[in-house]
Amino acid sequence: MDTKLAVFALGGINEIGKNMYVIQYEDDIVVVDCGSKFPDESLLGVDLIIQDITYLKEHRENVRALIVTHGHEDHIGGIPYFLKQMNVPVYATRLTLGLIELRLKEHGLLRDTKLTLIDGDSTVDLGTISATFFKTNHSIPDCLGIAFETPEGTVVHTGDFKFDLTPVNDDYADLHKMAEIGKKGVLLLLSESTNAERPGFSQSERVVGKHIADAFREAEGKIFISTFASNVHRVQQIIEAAQMTNRKIALLGRSMVNVVSVADELGYLDIPEDMLIEPQEVDQMDPENVVVICTGSQGEPMAALSRLSTNNFRQVSVYPGDTVIFASSPIPGNEKSVSRIIDNLYRLGAKVIYGTGGATGMHVSGHAYREELKLMLSLMKPTYFIPIHGEYRMLQLHKEMAESIGVESENIFILNNGDVLDIHEGVARQTRNVEAGNVFVDGLGIGDVGKVVLRDRKLLSEEGMLIIVVSMSKGDGRIISNPDTISRGFVYERDANELYKEVNELVVSTIKEAKPSTRYRRNDMKHAIRKAVEKLLYTRTKRRPMILPFIIEI
Amino acid sequence: MDTKLAVFALGGINEIGKNMYVIQYEDDIVVVDCGSKFPDESLLGVDLIIQDITYLKEHRENVRALIVTHGHEDHIGGIPYFLKQMNVPVYATRLTLGLIELRLKEHGLLRDTKLTLIDGDSTVDLGTISATFFKTNHSIPDCLGIAFETPEGTVVHTGDFKFDLTPVNDDYADLHKMAEIGKKGVLLLLSESTNAERPGFSQSERVVGKHIADAFREAEGKIFISTFASNVHRVQQIIEAAQMTNRKIALLGRSMVNVVSVADELGYLDIPEDMLIEPQEVDQMDPENVVVICTGSQGEPMAALSRLSTNNFRQVSVYPGDTVIFASSPIPGNEKSVSRIIDNLYRLGAKVIYGTGGATGMHVSGHAYREELKLMLSLMKPTYFIPIHGEYRMLQLHKEMAESIGVESENIFILNNGDVLDIHEGVARQTRNVEAGNVFVDGLGIGDVGKVVLRDRKLLSEEGMLIIVVSMSKGDGRIISNPDTISRGFVYERDANELYKEVNELVVSTIKEAKPSTRYRRNDMKHAIRKAVEKLLYTRTKRRPMILPFIIEI
């Protein structure tokens, strides 16, 4: 292999979530981000999805750093699992480190991990690669893009970004530094594609602040407002609106309490003294003087808002006349759970402010729209381009945008996770790939739930199962105890006695009529029973439950 | 009971789907619509949801008619199951009857069902109740609203509607008749609420025709266009755009073929001669001369479009440069499956025209927006109002709209399915209810899948199961054959041998250490085994599979 520079993803391409990108120059490997992803409903029972890091484990001694662009789940959620497999120094900004530390504590990893604080002005030398950074805007503070200087040229990774030209807390993006990097020449750009389908330019987070303030002025009872805890700027704007309307604030939900406390400690939030009250104080106060900031804006069934909507939150209740604000937009797939919560809040008599796609002005996206993506491409003017963070159609649309601003079509690579882009003496080729895929976390197990288990779960979930236990004599193959049949998830047992009787009779006759060559082979006999019962059940019910015959040989 | 007029829903309130409304005056019962509903992902393995019609079965001899407002699934899908339980004369318009007949044929019910053709000018006498009708616009032709004349006053049921003032095929709604009914005085209005969240006035179906024509003029390869088969006006507009651009049409997907053939036979479609070609002819023709109209716009995994997107449709393929148009908007819950298909079509190199909320102009809703709902309320000026067809928030918003046009707040009833509104001498009361609920169809079973079965399916789907079979002597309680353990959907079996060994040892020790009082009671022994194994598995895996111990007594 004469390749010196190699770039690839272990997660984040053709998907939203579980981001992980790798930049390698000769023997130096740098990893960008280590996110997790939530399973969709087809992955029954899976808790979390993380990356297959086989390649990194095989080159363990070459991995110089994990650099984390920002503190969202899809960029930090896999870190504890990653660090358990290989101890790598972690570099991130202050808030990002604060959020990573929360995770490491939970997993008992804090003491053994080397954490290094960086900011937009840092330079990190990692062997032949050196990393510099530029600040970006996003829906969490303290986000970085990265420019990797390599002997082959500069590789830029945008992280998640938008251009917010009037950011909250004057948290400006490093527009000039981006321009400088672009002017010096970018060999390869990796840029996020989440909103490649949305035309125009995203709105500033400040717009949300204005709408929140208006709603607070109009509200009569208590105010409940739900947003992502990590959207610290939005939380700050809620605090300001509360102060303006003489309301105290209670925080509900574990992540809200944790993240606000980290952000406050690290100076990202400005909370007036005596502003925060405890949940148990809420119902003792005049409703006009309270704001509850809570988790659950995506309809998560165990989060605060969901429990409030069914009157199942121990200390706090929603009363008729209270206002509930969704400062959020449902992520695709969550629409139904969110609607269910809205319905329940209406049932409690609340005034609910919700809407999709920013209709209420209570939410703006943290990701660049099409004109912003073109702006980034124009600033960086890369020779090569890999659209990242997006499903296929978004990558394709981002490719078309890159072409429109002058990147050569054959210099744009829509990759799969694991596809390696090798660049040598200015020429890029995609001809090889490394292992990549989904690793499922279920309970304590990492990777022990795979295709077979999921296929069985799916079958069980749709048709249930039927177990038949029969004991036979090892000696003469005669039936010792009559078949015993039970089912789960198939039909309601009390209604199915007739059917079970039929099944048991069929099992007996199948055994009795079996040729001796079948009867004495336990697996053949089981197979014959399974086939016969399957046929009977399908005729009777048009269903195909999993059938599990047990033969006890005595 | 001194009530004479009673109105209630057996489906369609607090939900979208499985519509069924009942109007009763003394001994005369009339049923409006008999729809089905597709289960959401929580109803594992359920094929279809229909109504609980206990009340109607108990008053079988009083049910005079089933009147069907239009031919959509959520208004006709339950008819075969209903008619199997009680043979009632069915009244509907021509196209609606045509679509009902398709269902009845499939279920072998056509011969024994009395079908009566009605139109906007019909009057149907049903004992003390007489029904007249008014034509409405919707996303299927031949829709009716109903005005029931009863001795107590007029009850109006809108069916599904919008106001399309420039309808395709000059298929105008009976605006004047609605005004006339309203002027004479409406006691009670039941009006649909599907789009109660959408401000303004919906667009005319003609808008879609214009956009389709534009896209056809620009397309270069083959054109694939997907829409609901029952949207006959849209199909007509596609036919016209195809004719204009010299393209022949192939129909893919069973429902597309069936519905187009019914609509064509009954004169609802105007298809030029030689326009239709067979699927197998598609790839033999110049791509510029073909349009494929196909099912699957909602991402249904077995429908034509899904199979085309993965190159799994036997006779037809999507080639690079072909255009695929989604003349549809994803129904909430279908977004992900639709996105997956779009991604796959892009992978095949197709140009894909898609968008949400009418962004592409290729879809308009068939349901009234807020200003149209207010227009209906204003035309009818009812004394009492029941918002129907909608989830709770939509009903609540519709209630607020009714108040805004002058209906008294206490005269508006947000009901649940089964809640009865009794009206006697002009006074309405909601104090009683009849049985109502979801009946699940699974294979041949109607109603045999209930809470217990679904709870088991859910548990099995998330954690799988573990079966332990052990045989014991009836005489002295000693173990005859060692425990045999298998699992499904829990952990990959080959990796779990150590764990199973541990389980088996635990079972043996649990039996041996059991007090004789436990050991000789099979259920107590099973319980003890279950508890012990559960604890072990949770410690080892943090999962709780279903544990099923079998004890064979010899």
Side-chain angles (χ1 to χ4, degrees):
Chain A
M1 170 84 86
D2 59 356
T3 288
K4 299 196 154 179
L5 176 64
V7 177
F8 55 93
L10 291 177
I13 291 187
N14 285 318
E15 64 182 338
I16 303 276
K18 87 171 214 296
N19 289 294
M20 178 178 277
Y21 298 87
V22 177
I23 319 288
Q24 176 164 13
Y25 190 84
E26 289 182 341
D27 288 339
D28 299 312
I29 295 176
V30 182
V31 180
V32 179
D33 290 337
C34 182
S36 59
K37 182 177 166 178
F38 290 108
D40 66 27
E41 62 279 3
S42 72
L43 298 174
L44 296 162
V46 171
D47 298 332
L48 211 60
I49 306 173
I50 55 174
Q51 305 82 5
D52 179 341
I53 55 166
T54 306
Y55 179 86
L56 298 177
K57 286 196 284 187
E58 283 169 4
H59 298 79
R60 191 182 297 261
E61 70 289 356
N62 302 113
V63 181
R64 308 282 169 244
L66 166 62
I67 304 180
V68 183
T69 59
H70 64 284
H72 278 153
E73 212 62 37
D74 51 337
H75 296 258
I76 71 169
I79 293 180
Y81 307 97
F82 179 76
L83 292 180
K84 277 177 199 167
Q85 296 178 76
M86 46 199 301
N87 195 349
V88 170
V90 178
Y91 296 78
T93 56
R94 203 146 39 104
L95 180 63
T96 311
L97 278 189
L99 295 169
I100 292 171
E101 282 171 8
L102 277 181
R103 304 309 166 85
L104 297 183
K105 263 183 223 159
E106 280 171 20
H107 285 83
L109 288 165
L110 190 53
R111 236 190 34 185
D112 295 325
T113 306
K114 196 183 163 210
L115 299 171
T116 305
L117 180 67
I118 52 173
D119 62 25
D121 299 322
S122 304
T123 300
V124 178
D125 286 313
L126 303 157
T128 54
I129 303 173
S130 99
T132 60
F133 307 91
F134 52 92
K135 285 175 64 180
T136 61
N137 303 118
H138 187 41
S139 46
I140 185 172
D142 237 8
C143 295
L144 293 180
I146 313 172
F148 293 102
E149 309 290 338
T150 78
E152 187 70 47
T154 302
V155 177
V156 172
H157 185 296
T158 62
D160 284 0
F161 75 97
K162 68 185 283 188
F163 288 100
D164 191 336
L165 304 175
T166 55
V168 174
N169 285 0
D170 294 338
D171 206 358
Y172 291 98
D174 271 335
L175 209 49
H176 301 98
K177 195 162 180 186
M178 292 182 217
E180 212 177 283
I181 293 165
K183 199 167 176 198
K184 275 198 227 155
V186 171
L187 177 67
L188 169 65
L189 172 68
L190 295 89
S191 180
E192 74 126 322
S193 315
T194 315
N195 273 340
E197 292 170 291
R198 298 209 195 168
F201 207 100
S202 71
Q203 282 193 291
S204 169
E205 177 64 29
R206 266 195 209 274
V207 172
V208 175
K210 209 169 122 24
H211 284 98
I212 289 175
D214 288 347
F216 274 36
R217 267 187 290 260
E218 277 181 31
E220 283 170 359
K222 284 199 296 289
I223 296 174
F224 294 81
I225 183 163
S226 185
T227 191
F228 281 123
S230 61
N231 200 329
V232 173
H233 288 149
R234 192 163 299 164
V235 173
Q236 181 65 49
Q237 298 194 105
I238 295 170
I239 292 168
E240 284 162 19
Q243 198 177 10
M244 179 192 71
T245 51
N246 280 317
R247 291 174 182 261
K248 302 273 185 194
I249 290 178
L251 304 171
L252 297 195
R254 198 170 63 103
S255 74
M256 189 59 73
V257 172
N258 284 343
V259 174
V260 167
S261 129
V262 167
D264 188 28
E265 262 170 46
L266 298 178
Y268 289 87
L269 278 176
D270 182 10
I271 310 179
E273 230 172 297
D274 298 329
M275 186 76 169
L276 292 182
I277 59 171
E278 293 299 317
Q280 58 270 25
E281 297 175 77
V282 167
D283 281 345
Q284 294 158 20
M285 295 188 64
D286 186 339
E288 307 261 306
N289 295 130
V290 184
V291 173
V292 175
I293 312 181
C294 60
T295 55
S297 62
Q298 290 299 323
E300 305 90 327
M302 302 309 293
L305 191 59
S306 172
R307 286 187 286 149
L308 285 165
S309 77
T310 50
N311 235 328
N312 278 318
F313 202 92
R314 202 159 44 86
Q315 302 142 318
V316 183
S317 302
V318 177
Y319 290 114
D322 287 348
T323 298
V324 183
I325 302 172
F326 283 77
S328 60
S329 184
I331 292 169
N334 294 347
E335 293 85 353
K336 280 191 167 183
S337 341
V338 171
S339 297
R340 211 167 295 137
I341 291 176
I342 296 169
D343 285 339
N344 288 334
L345 290 167
Y346 267 118
R347 285 196 180 94
L348 295 177
K351 188 184 158 202
V352 190
I353 301 177
Y354 66 98
T356 49
T360 59
M362 297 292 181
H363 177 71
V364 297
S365 174
H367 297 277
Y369 282 23
R370 289 173 64 88
E371 294 309 312
E372 292 159 271
L373 293 175
K374 288 188 221 160
L375 178 54
M376 180 62 85
L377 282 159
S378 303
L379 284 167
M380 293 300 167
K381 286 189 160 298
T383 307
Y384 296 105
F385 175 51
I386 304 174
I388 60 171
H389 299 185
E391 295 173 357
Y392 190 87
R393 63 196 182 284
M394 304 165 186
L395 305 179
Q396 176 65 31
L397 292 170
H398 205 174
K399 176 182 198 276
E400 289 166 15
M401 283 185 261
E403 287 165 6
S404 79
I405 69 109
V407 182
E408 296 288 336
S409 182
E410 64 274 21
N411 286 0
I412 304 171
F413 295 86
I414 298 189
L415 304 182
N416 291 305
N417 292 327
D419 287 350
V420 180
L421 188 73
D422 289 301
I423 305 184
H424 185 52
E425 292 178 358
V427 180
R429 269 167 316 186
Q430 198 286 297
T431 50
R432 62 187 179 106
N433 60 292
V434 302
E435 244 176 271
N438 287 330
V439 171
F440 302 134
V441 179
D442 185 358
L444 291 183
I446 299 179
D448 66 339
V449 168
K451 270 189 199 161
V452 177
V453 170
L454 286 171
R455 197 198 55 206
D456 284 347
R457 285 184 185 173
K458 187 166 168 54
L459 182 59
L460 289 166
S461 76
E462 289 178 352
E463 310 274 13
M465 59 156 178
L466 190 101
I467 304 168
I468 305 154
V469 183
V470 59
S471 55
M472 291 170 66
S473 153
K474 236 185 257 183
D476 56 10
R478 117 199 107 77
I479 295 170
I480 293 180
S481 69
N482 272 327
D484 187 5
T485 293
I486 73 155
S487 77
R488 287 290 183 278
F490 172 48
V491 286
Y492 190 46
E493 291 223 293
R494 272 185 228 167
D495 302 343
N497 283 335
E498 273 306 303
L499 187 60
Y500 291 177
K501 232 177 94 185
E502 248 188 300
V503 168
N504 289 343
E505 284 162 9
L506 179 65
V507 171
V508 169
S509 65
T510 306
I511 293 174
K512 284 191 176 156
E513 288 157 22
K515 286 181 227 145
S517 61
T518 304
R519 190 185 296 188
Y520 291 105
R521 286 204 192 111
R522 198 158 91 156
N523 282 337
D524 290 358
M525 197 62 249
K526 274 187 185 176
H527 181 76
I529 293 173
R530 190 181 296 123
K531 284 285 141 197
V533 174
E534 198 169 85
K535 203 174 146 194
L536 172 71
L537 295 183
Y538 191 73
T539 311
R540 291 282 178 280
T541 66
K542 288 243 166 148
R543 297 183 210 162
R544 300 185 187 283
M546 188 186 277
I547 298 168
L548 295 164
F550 275 77
I551 297 175
I552 311 295
E553 288 170 309
I554 309 279
Chain B
M1 173 83 85
D2 60 355
T3 287
K4 299 198 154 177
L5 176 65
V7 177
F8 55 93
L10 290 177
I13 291 186
N14 285 319
E15 63 182 338
I16 303 277
K18 90 171 211 297
N19 289 293
M20 178 178 276
Y21 298 87
V22 178
I23 318 288
Q24 174 163 16
Y25 189 85
E26 289 182 341
D27 289 338
D28 299 311
I29 295 176
V30 182
V31 180
V32 179
D33 290 337
C34 182
S36 58
K37 182 177 165 178
F38 291 108
D40 67 25
E41 63 281 1
S42 73
L43 298 173
L44 296 163
V46 171
D47 298 332
L48 212 60
I49 305 173
I50 55 175
Q51 304 83 5
D52 179 339
I53 56 167
T54 306
Y55 179 86
L56 297 177
K57 285 196 286 187
E58 284 168 4
H59 297 80
R60 192 183 297 262
E61 70 288 357
N62 301 114
V63 182
R64 308 283 168 242
L66 167 63
I67 305 181
V68 183
T69 59
H70 65 283
H72 277 154
E73 212 60 38
D74 52 336
H75 296 258
I76 70 168
I79 293 181
Y81 306 98
F82 178 75
L83 291 180
K84 277 177 199 167
Q85 296 177 77
M86 47 197 301
N87 195 349
V88 170
V90 179
Y91 296 78
T93 56
R94 201 144 41 100
L95 180 63
T96 310
L97 279 188
L99 295 170
I100 292 172
E101 283 171 7
L102 277 181
R103 302 310 166 85
L104 296 182
K105 262 182 223 161
E106 280 171 21
H107 284 82
L109 289 166
L110 190 53
R111 238 190 32 186
D112 295 326
T113 306
K114 193 180 165 212
L115 300 171
T116 304
L117 180 68
I118 52 173
D119 62 25
D121 298 323
S122 304
T123 301
V124 179
D125 285 316
L126 303 157
T128 54
I129 302 174
S130 97
T132 60
F133 306 92
F134 51 93
K135 284 175 66 179
T136 61
N137 303 120
H138 187 40
S139 46
I140 185 171
D142 237 8
C143 295
L144 294 179
I146 313 172
F148 294 100
E149 309 289 339
T150 79
E152 186 70 48
T154 302
V155 177
V156 172
H157 186 296
T158 62
D160 284 1
F161 74 97
K162 67 185 283 187
F163 288 100
D164 190 338
L165 305 175
T166 55
V168 174
N169 286 0
D170 294 338
D171 206 359
Y172 291 98
D174 271 336
L175 209 47
H176 301 98
K177 195 160 180 187
M178 292 182 217
E180 213 175 284
I181 293 166
K183 200 167 176 196
K184 275 198 232 157
V186 172
L187 177 68
L188 170 64
L189 172 68
L190 296 89
S191 180
E192 74 128 320
S193 314
T194 316
N195 273 341
E197 292 170 290
R198 296 207 197 170
F201 206 100
S202 71
Q203 282 193 290
S204 169
E205 178 64 30
R206 267 195 209 273
V207 173
V208 175
K210 211 171 117 29
H211 284 98
I212 289 174
D214 289 347
F216 275 36
R217 268 188 290 262
E218 276 181 29
E220 284 169 358
K222 284 198 296 289
I223 296 173
F224 294 81
I225 182 163
S226 185
T227 191
F228 280 123
S230 60
N231 200 328
V232 173
H233 288 149
R234 192 163 300 164
V235 173
Q236 181 65 49
Q237 297 195 103
I238 295 170
I239 292 168
E240 284 161 20
Q243 199 177 10
M244 178 192 72
T245 51
N246 281 315
R247 291 175 182 263
K248 302 273 184 195
I249 290 178
L251 304 171
L252 298 196
R254 198 169 64 103
S255 74
M256 189 59 72
V257 172
N258 285 344
V259 175
V260 167
S261 127
V262 167
D264 187 28
E265 261 170 46
L266 299 177
Y268 289 86
L269 277 177
D270 182 11
I271 310 179
E273 232 173 293
D274 299 331
M275 185 75 170
L276 292 182
I277 58 171
E278 293 299 317
Q280 58 269 27
E281 297 176 77
V282 168
D283 280 346
Q284 293 157 20
M285 295 188 63
D286 185 340
E288 308 262 306
N289 294 129
V290 184
V291 173
V292 175
I293 311 181
C294 59
T295 55
S297 62
Q298 290 299 324
E300 304 90 328
M302 301 310 292
L305 192 59
S306 172
R307 287 187 286 149
L308 285 165
S309 77
T310 51
N311 234 327
N312 278 319
F313 202 92
R314 205 158 42 85
Q315 300 143 319
V316 183
S317 302
V318 177
Y319 290 116
D322 288 348
T323 297
V324 183
I325 301 171
F326 283 78
S328 59
S329 185
I331 293 169
N334 294 347
E335 293 84 354
K336 279 189 169 187
S337 341
V338 172
S339 297
R340 212 168 293 138
I341 290 177
I342 296 169
D343 285 338
N344 288 334
L345 291 167
Y346 267 119
R347 285 195 180 94
L348 296 177
K351 189 184 159 199
V352 190
I353 301 178
Y354 67 97
T356 50
T360 60
M362 298 293 181
H363 177 73
V364 298
S365 174
H367 297 277
Y369 282 22
R370 289 174 65 90
E371 293 310 312
E372 292 159 272
L373 294 174
K374 287 188 223 159
L375 178 54
M376 179 62 85
L377 282 158
S378 303
L379 284 167
M380 295 300 167
K381 285 186 159 300
T383 306
Y384 296 105
F385 176 52
I386 304 176
I388 59 170
H389 298 185
E391 295 174 358
Y392 190 88
R393 64 195 181 284
M394 304 165 187
L395 306 178
Q396 176 64 32
L397 291 171
H398 205 175
K399 175 181 198 277
E400 289 166 16
M401 283 184 262
E403 288 166 4
S404 79
I405 69 110
V407 182
E408 295 289 337
S409 181
E410 63 274 22
N411 286 0
I412 304 171
F413 295 86
I414 297 189
L415 303 182
N416 292 305
N417 292 326
D419 287 351
V420 180
L421 188 74
D422 289 302
I423 306 184
H424 186 52
E425 292 178 358
V427 180
R429 268 167 316 186
Q430 197 285 298
T431 52
R432 63 185 179 107
N433 59 294
V434 302
E435 244 176 271
N438 287 329
V439 172
F440 302 134
V441 178
D442 185 359
L444 292 182
I446 299 179
D448 66 339
V449 167
K451 270 190 200 162
V452 177
V453 170
L454 286 172
R455 197 199 54 203
D456 284 347
R457 285 183 185 173
K458 187 165 165 54
L459 182 59
L460 289 167
S461 77
E462 288 178 353
E463 309 275 15
M465 59 158 177
L466 190 100
I467 303 167
I468 306 155
V469 182
V470 60
S471 55
M472 291 170 64
S473 154
K474 238 185 259 185
D476 57 9
R478 117 198 106 78
I479 295 170
I480 293 180
S481 68
N482 271 328
D484 188 5
T485 293
I486 72 155
S487 78
R488 288 288 184 276
F490 172 47
V491 284
Y492 189 47
E493 290 223 293
R494 274 185 226 165
D495 303 343
N497 283 335
E498 272 307 302
L499 187 60
Y500 290 178
K501 232 179 93 185
E502 247 186 301
V503 168
N504 289 344
E505 283 162 11
L506 179 65
V507 172
V508 169
S509 65
T510 306
I511 293 174
K512 285 191 175 155
E513 286 158 22
K515 284 182 229 147
S517 60
T518 304
R519 192 185 295 189
Y520 291 105
R521 287 205 190 110
R522 200 159 87 153
N523 281 337
D524 291 358
M525 197 62 251
K526 274 187 186 176
H527 181 77
I529 292 173
R530 192 182 295 120
K531 283 285 142 195
V533 173
E534 198 169 85
K535 202 174 146 196
L536 172 70
L537 295 183
Y538 190 73
T539 311
R540 290 282 179 276
T541 67
K542 289 238 165 153
R543 299 183 208 161
R544 299 186 187 283
M546 188 185 277
I547 297 168
L548 295 164
F550 275 78
I551 297 175
I552 311 295
E553 288 171 308
I554 309 280

